[in-house]
Amino acid sequence: MSAVTSLRKAAAPPEPDAKPGLLSTRRGRKGLAIVVLAAVFIPLAIALGGSGSWPNDLTVDVRTPLDDSYQWVADNRDSNPVFTYFLLHLANNSTSAVDGVLSFLELLGWPGSIALFTAIAYFAAGSARKGAKVAGIALFAFGVCGLLDMWEPAMETMALMTVAVAVSAVVGLLLGLASGLSDRWETILRPVFDTMQIMPAYAYLLPCVLIFDIGSPAVLLATVIYAAPPMARLTALGLRAADPAAMEASASLGASRMQRLRTARLPLARKEMMLGLNQTIMMALSMVVIGSVVGAAGLGDEVFKGLARVDVGQAAVPGICIVLIAIWLDRTTAAAGERLDEATGGGGPSWLPPAVIAAVTVAGAVLAGALGKKEWPEGWTVDLTGPIRDAVEWFTDNLGAGVPVLGGTQTWSEGFTDWVLNPLRDGLQSSPWWLLVLLAAALGLLVGTWHSALVAALAMSGIGVLGLWSKTLDTLSQVLGGIALTLVLGFAIGILVARSERVERLVRPVLDALQTLPQFIYLIPVAALFGAVRTAAIFAAVAYALPAVIRITAQGIKQVDPAAVEASRSLGASTFQQLRQVQLPLARPALLLAVNQGIVLVLAVVVIGGLIGGGALGYDVVYGLQKSEFGIGLGAGVAIVLLGLVLDRVTQPTVLKQRKNS
Amino acid sequence: MITYKRTTTALAISAVSLLALSACGKAETGGGGGSADSVTITVPSWVGAEANAEVAKYLLENELDVKNVKTQQMTETVAFDALNTGKADAILEDWGGVPKKVTQYVDKKKTVVRGGDLGVTGHIGWFVPKYFAEEHPDVLDWKNLDKYADQLKTSETGDKGQILEGDPSYTTYDDAIIKNLGLNFKTHYVGSEAGQITEIAKNVKAKKPFLTYWWEPQWMNEEWGLKEVKLPPYKEGCQDDEKAVKCGYPDTPLQKYLNADFAKDGGKAAEFLKNFKWTNEQQNEVAVMIAKDKMKPEDAAEKWVKANKSTWEKWIPKD
């Protein structure tokens, strides 16, 4: 998706400016520091808890207080004034908001709704040819939803999305203002945003339900938690990146702080904010399916019904609609963002677009009313569930086993478990706990600063304190396997995509679909291909994380200065030499970002892994939700966040620098 | 510093105004519970439960003239929360998977009331495929299981035999049973029924031996032909201490639950749902139509209702 890639660009860390000589001496100093640290720490650790797994004395029971507070809310929900006078109002209002949007869409009928969505797309993309293209996407997306007999659920999803995105955007904007205008707020909010994004939604759905009731209110709360951070982050980024000269100019003209914010800083940050909105929309859409676990209607509910019957075809059809709606929303907001670059003022008067949108919509609605057909006509549908089911079945039957020479996915799966996963897990689990804490600190120090070393070591210890040491190491072994596979495949395909336009055109729609298809849909085919085992969980993670890694890699390599490549070619470097000695080193920041995104995305699918035999933390989170064991679910969620923190700190060298620069 | 203060103030003001806006009165805590012209039935994620809900829905709409019957998919624990607040009115099939919620809402708060037996009896146990049992008939007794541990091991369980486990919300004491019976086996948690079914179907197709935690009634049982492995028989109280369990599972008469207001004021609709009672075979008939024959759930319900008038006639309350 175009906007996704430009986000990466915006967020790409700057090239570290250290000279090789300086780096080597600094490395030497760091090595010494690690040796000293080890000399102090190891005897201390052995005295404390000996070898092996995290000592029991050093764990703290977090489950009981969590369960107690959950119980307290359950008992006092109907009587405590905080709930009856505040939170429940919010819940009731959000339900009526979603219902309101839905009845509006129903009032328009299908022709009116399609006219509305198409017209919005047309004008958001700036009318003319570009607008026509995006409008075409809108028409196609909703037409297909209707054809596939998914019109009603699609409208339910649109109603929920409209409210969810509006609330997330407002919350994100407020948080972004706070963090963009004040350094102190930025320091406070940054880890909060990280947690909001890595913490699996499954872990906090329970309290959402308890506080906000089932259905749309709970989903809204969960969506805001998950989808507001990108809006906040990009708003803050935009505010901070405002051109100092422009700010100076507006200050010298005597503008007050508030005026400057309104007339200079916010308008200058418009582009980033638009990108933030785009990301917020995409993330909100990915919560739609999870939302149906707690009783939200719509396309997600249809996906779940298909899963309950273990029917891939039935789950895939609403999945296709979700992908199409996602592509429509992405292209529309991306086009609107690009338009901000162009000089404003061109085109017709500003009242024209809203007027035309309204007119077209009303015309559509009247047409529907006249025909007496507000619901999608029954005869106009195509049933794709059978063909999809057969295709997937053929695929899994024929690739599962008995492929000559290669052996089939089943054999690979077992081989991967026996030769990679099991040794890795057993190795990690049998290592003394202090060694792993020390390793985290040492790696943090090697690639980063003292600060990253400290954070990595503390996060690692935090996992032990939670009492989830060996389960987390099991998950870690899977995550490492997943990341390794993702990066190898991602870099390879990314390089191919960067070098050949034909490959790029071929791969792009596949990436779009993989990124927006609800992960629940590939649960069944992946389990059929690899068995309901850890490998299946890993491959689900790879499928999910791969698109982002490919995109960032390709983007990074493409952006390498053509002059540098040209120069190396004229010096007689072969294609491979150019790649290895010029393009890859110069694309280092992008590759690092790819690693970071790979980690975040693989971790995001740990919970899905818990549904197809991944076990460990992912299973705990699912268990917590299903069994109403809040303590277990949230505890495992926190461990996943801490694991993310460790992995981030030991792989991202420029975290601190990037912060200073931005 | 000034900007910092301003943002804080702005945030505080918006928070306060939001509070003020919503503080005009006490919120409605209940949903639409109690009214009889709309009924919401919760549907957990398995097909048998969908069969209950669809047949109940069809009869409510066509025989009792209830206009607005909704079926809503949600997990067991969330379903109890929904009954508590009145967002939903009925649970038609509960396996006793969340005893905590029953204590809290049924016994303590009395916002949810029992709706009687569904008539279907659930049974949990350990199962092996028919082809494996025919080849080795003695596998059907737990005492001989260890002999087969070697054939049942996978790369997930190392040198121990594997027992496949499914959705976390289904009651299982298998870890304790394995330990207390001293079996050379290990549980492997798939984490979802869909995943477990896919895994079993794959093994059946390849005629591979496997041992799985499973239950009746289930729409796939007929197709797969699973055989139960005999565990030490269940006795009253033998599962009370979760860590000391070394007996098999009891037969569970599946339960219905209703929102308390709905049960009281729901009139005929509520009475009908209390009367709703059918057998394992009848439920399975509808489930197979939905899941195997890929019929639309409402069509399957209609077909069953048309053919079984004598059964459901007894459920309809008399005037």
Side-chain angles (χ1 to χ4, degrees):
Chain A
M1 253 143 255
S2 50
V4 180
T5 41
S6 38
L7 161 72
R8 315 296 186 215
K9 224 190 308 173
E15 176 81 1
D17 51 358
K19 290 185 194 77
L22 187 71
L23 200 73
S24 64
T25 57
R26 200 200 281 159
R27 238 181 220 159
R29 273 215 310 275
K30 279 180 180 173
L32 189 69
I34 292 169
V35 172
V36 174
L37 199 74
V40 179
F41 193 67
I42 293 178
L44 190 76
I46 292 177
L48 256 174
S51 58
S53 186
W54 186 269
N56 269 335
D57 322 349
L58 293 185
T59 60
V60 174
D61 177 25
V62 285
R63 258 183 72 186
T64 319
L66 281 176
D67 284 337
D68 287 349
S69 48
Y70 180 72
Q71 190 60 36
W72 183 87
V73 175
D75 288 340
N76 293 283
R77 185 183 185 275
D78 299 337
S79 51
N80 192 294
V82 177
F83 289 95
T84 50
Y85 286 95
F86 180 55
L87 291 175
L88 292 181
H89 270 299
L90 287 185
N92 292 345
N93 285 337
S94 59
T95 312
S96 18
V98 174
D99 289 349
V101 177
L102 185 60
S103 12
F104 175 67
L105 291 176
E106 275 168 0
L107 180 79
L108 293 182
W110 67 268
S113 302
I114 289 192
L116 175 68
F117 299 137
T118 312
I120 289 178
Y122 181 71
F123 286 108
S127 58
R129 241 166 93 199
K130 184 128 207 190
K133 197 178 149 204
V134 182
I137 295 176
L139 202 61
F140 177 74
F142 287 97
V144 171
C145 286
L147 270 181
L148 293 177
D149 201 11
M150 283 289 142
W151 184 259
E152 255 184 77
M155 288 308 104
E156 284 166 348
T157 294
M158 284 304 296
L160 186 60
M161 279 288 296
T162 309
V163 181
V165 168
V167 179
S168 308
V170 170
V171 171
L173 187 68
L174 287 176
L175 291 174
L177 277 175
S179 124
L181 297 178
S182 134
D183 285 338
R184 192 179 315 178
W185 273 104
E186 214 232 338
T187 329
I188 299 172
L189 286 176
R190 181 182 267 269
V192 175
F193 293 155
D194 285 339
T195 313
M196 283 159 88
Q197 286 193 294
I198 302 185
M199 176 77 84
Y202 259 79
Y204 52 77
L205 270 181
L206 265 187
C208 286
V209 169
L210 196 57
I211 293 172
F212 260 21
D213 213 339
I214 64 146
S216 27
V219 182
L220 279 181
L221 182 59
T223 308
V224 170
I225 293 176
Y226 185 63
M231 181 77 197
R233 282 202 161 124
L234 281 152
T235 305
L237 186 73
L239 288 176
R240 282 175 185 273
D243 184 4
M247 300 310 300
E248 192 59 37
S250 102
S252 67
L253 286 172
S256 74
R257 272 178 180 275
M258 207 58 191
Q259 279 173 326
R260 247 185 295 164
L261 178 64
R262 226 184 46 231
T263 58
R265 287 187 98 163
L266 277 178
L268 284 173
R270 255 188 336 189
K271 192 147 187 246
E272 275 83 4
M273 284 160 66
M274 201 63 209
L275 197 58
L277 184 66
N278 170 287
Q279 289 291 293
T280 293
I281 291 176
M282 302 314 278
M283 298 184 83
L285 199 56
S286 73
M287 285 294 286
V288 163
V289 178
I290 294 182
S292 58
V293 175
V294 293
L299 293 169
D301 199 34
E302 299 298 317
V303 171
F304 260 96
K305 276 186 195 153
L307 278 185
R309 285 173 220 160
V310 203
D311 185 340
V312 201
Q314 208 193 336
V317 166
I320 292 173
C321 294
I322 295 179
V323 170
L324 288 174
I325 293 180
I327 291 178
W328 164 60
L329 285 167
D330 178 68
R331 301 292 191 268
T332 308
T333 44
E338 279 164 30
R339 207 160 60 95
L340 292 176
D341 270 355
E342 298 154 17
T344 41
S350 64
W351 53 264
L352 190 67
V356 175
I357 292 177
V360 173
T361 310
V362 169
V366 169
L367 180 73
L371 291 174
K373 273 185 187 160
K374 295 209 159 180
E375 284 157 26
W376 187 270
E378 260 184 51
W380 293 14
T381 55
V382 184
D383 191 7
L384 272 188
T385 51
I388 294 179
R389 190 165 50 230
D390 295 342
V392 173
E393 221 162 85
W394 182 89
F395 196 64
T396 50
D397 281 356
N398 286 290
L399 291 181
V403 181
V405 189
L406 297 171
T409 47
Q410 202 70 40
T411 335
W412 305 348
S413 166
E414 275 159 30
F416 192 71
T417 311
D418 288 339
W419 296 103
V420 181
L421 280 183
N422 284 347
L424 191 59
R425 181 190 63 189
D426 298 344
L428 283 170
Q429 283 178 340
S430 59
S431 311
W433 61 273
W434 45 263
L435 186 70
L436 293 179
V437 174
L438 196 66
L439 195 68
L443 285 174
L445 191 59
L446 271 181
V447 296
T449 57
W450 276 104
H451 188 256
S452 11
L454 189 68
V455 173
L458 281 179
M460 200 71 200
S461 316
I463 292 167
V465 171
L466 284 174
L468 290 167
W469 186 253
S470 69
K471 268 186 189 158
T472 308
L473 293 180
D474 187 353
T475 295
L476 177 62
S477 69
Q478 297 176 40
V479 168
L480 289 177
I483 293 171
L485 266 179
T486 308
L487 292 182
V488 169
L489 288 173
F491 286 159
I493 302 175
I495 291 170
L496 271 181
V497 167
R499 300 186 69 91
S500 150
E501 242 175 68
R502 197 178 325 148
V503 175
E504 186 180 10
R505 268 204 305 276
L506 216 69
V507 163
R508 192 165 174 219
V510 180
L511 296 188
D512 277 355
L514 272 180
Q515 229 170 6
T516 42
L517 196 67
Q519 302 130 31
F520 287 89
I521 293 171
Y522 38 83
L523 212 137
I524 297 172
V526 165
L529 275 178
F530 301 100
V533 291
R534 279 170 289 154
T535 341
I538 289 175
F539 275 92
V542 172
Y544 183 62
L546 202 53
V549 174
I550 293 176
R551 287 212 163 96
I552 301 168
T553 311
Q555 186 82 16
I557 293 176
K558 271 197 209 157
Q559 272 172 4
V560 168
D561 189 359
V565 182
E566 192 52 53
S568 76
R569 189 182 304 148
S570 67
L571 288 172
S574 70
T575 313
F576 182 69
Q577 279 171 329
Q578 282 169 37
L579 187 67
R580 200 170 56 98
Q581 292 174 348
V582 181
Q583 288 179 307
L584 286 184
L586 285 179
R588 185 167 166 267
L591 297 184
L592 277 173
L593 188 70
V595 173
N596 168 280
Q597 287 297 300
I599 292 172
V600 171
L601 294 173
V602 166
L603 274 174
V605 200
V606 163
V607 172
I608 301 292
L611 293 168
I612 37 171
L617 293 179
Y619 179 82
D620 272 12
V621 174
V622 179
Y623 179 90
L625 178 67
Q626 304 279 44
K627 278 283 199 188
S628 205
E629 295 278 0
F630 179 51
I632 293 182
L634 192 69
V638 173
I640 291 175
V641 172
L642 290 174
L643 195 58
L645 213 57
V646 174
L647 289 172
D648 181 73
R649 290 305 185 272
V650 302
T651 51
Q652 295 299 307
T654 47
V655 173
L656 278 181
K657 276 194 184 169
Q658 183 194 353
R659 242 173 98 179
K660 271 178 207 146
N661 287 355
S662 58
Chain B
M1 241 357 252
I2 297 169
T3 37
Y4 161 64
K5 263 188 198 148
R6 289 209 176 193
T7 6
T8 324
T9 332
L11 283 179
I13 289 174
S14 39
V16 168
S17 51
L18 212 62
L19 233 167
L21 260 178
S22 48
C24 351
K26 192 172 168 179
E28 278 292 316
T29 50
S35 68
D37 33 302
S38 87
V39 178
T40 304
I41 300 169
T42 64
V43 190
S45 64
W46 54 88
V47 185
E50 203 176 351
N52 302 329
E54 287 298 333
V55 169
K57 180 180 176 190
Y58 185 86
L59 287 169
L60 280 170
E61 279 174 344
N62 294 294
E63 297 295 324
L64 291 162
D65 288 327
V66 182
K67 281 189 197 67
N68 190 4
V69 185
K70 272 208 310 196
T71 56
Q72 204 162 31
Q73 182 148 319
M74 57 185 99
T75 63
E76 278 175 293
T77 150
V78 175
F80 272 102
D81 288 334
L83 252 60
N84 170 47
T85 58
K87 270 279 172 86
D89 300 307
I91 292 174
L92 293 182
E93 180 175 322
D94 181 70
W95 283 66
V98 278
K100 261 183 163 176
K101 295 274 177 190
V102 175
T103 324
Q104 184 176 10
Y105 295 142
V106 179
D107 302 339
K108 260 168 68 187
K109 283 177 81 177
K110 306 202 191 304
T111 47
V112 179
V113 295
R114 289 172 211 278
D117 287 352
L118 172 68
V120 177
T121 304
H123 179 72
I124 296 170
W126 291 4
F127 290 80
V128 291
K130 205 160 74 187
Y131 47 82
F132 187 54
E134 274 162 6
E135 207 179 317
H136 309 281
D138 63 341
V139 76
L140 294 179
D141 192 328
W142 69 269
K143 290 185 192 114
N144 305 320
L145 271 180
D146 272 354
K147 275 206 308 207
Y148 299 98
D150 208 43
Q151 290 187 51
L152 294 168
K153 72 182 185 195
T154 67
S155 47
E156 290 296 322
T157 54
D159 47 7
K160 292 184 166 157
Q162 171 181 284
I163 296 185
L164 204 60
E165 303 275 331
D167 188 295
S169 66
Y170 307 166
T171 314
T172 172
Y173 301 112
D174 288 355
D175 283 308
I177 297 174
I178 290 171
K179 197 171 142 236
N180 296 322
L181 293 179
L183 291 171
N184 187 24
F185 275 79
K186 204 176 150 192
T187 50
H188 172 58
Y189 290 91
V190 173
S192 65
E193 189 176 344
Q196 193 184 11
I197 291 179
T198 313
E199 177 72 13
I200 294 178
K202 204 189 71 194
N203 283 328
V204 168
K205 217 175 215 172
K207 290 248 184 279
K208 257 173 55 178
F210 62 90
L211 173 65
T212 184
Y213 166 96
W214 199 243
W215 57 91
E216 288 169 330
Q218 221 288 352
W219 48 280
M220 292 299 288
N221 286 357
E222 242 168 285
E223 193 178 329
W224 291 337
L226 299 181
K227 292 271 178 215
E228 188 173 359
V229 175
K230 227 187 265 157
L231 286 170
Y234 172 83
K235 280 191 215 89
E236 189 73 38
C238 78
Q239 291 188 338
D240 286 355
D241 180 0
E242 280 184 32
K243 290 206 177 91
V245 180
K246 49 175 178 177
C247 58
Y249 296 85
D251 289 333
T252 318
L254 305 183
Q255 297 299 305
K256 293 176 290 185
Y257 289 93
L258 302 174
N259 168 277
D261 293 334
F262 172 74
K264 205 166 75 200
D265 311 322
K268 280 189 175 178
E271 209 177 319
F272 163 78
L273 288 178
K274 284 181 208 161
N275 294 341
F276 188 103
K277 193 170 182 181
W278 60 353
T279 63
N280 292 25
E281 290 73 30
Q282 286 165 331
Q283 187 196 57
N284 209 38
E285 214 179 300
V286 182
V288 166
M289 281 192 259
I290 297 175
K292 207 178 148 207
D293 309 338
K294 312 285 177 199
M295 274 171 80
K296 278 195 168 176
E298 53 270 30
D299 298 344
E302 188 181 345
K303 189 173 165 194
W304 185 87
V305 165
K306 291 226 162 104
N308 292 276
K309 189 159 193 231
S310 58
T311 311
W312 57 258
E313 244 177 354
K314 287 175 269 174
W315 307 340
I316 309 290
K318 311 225 161 36
D319 289 302

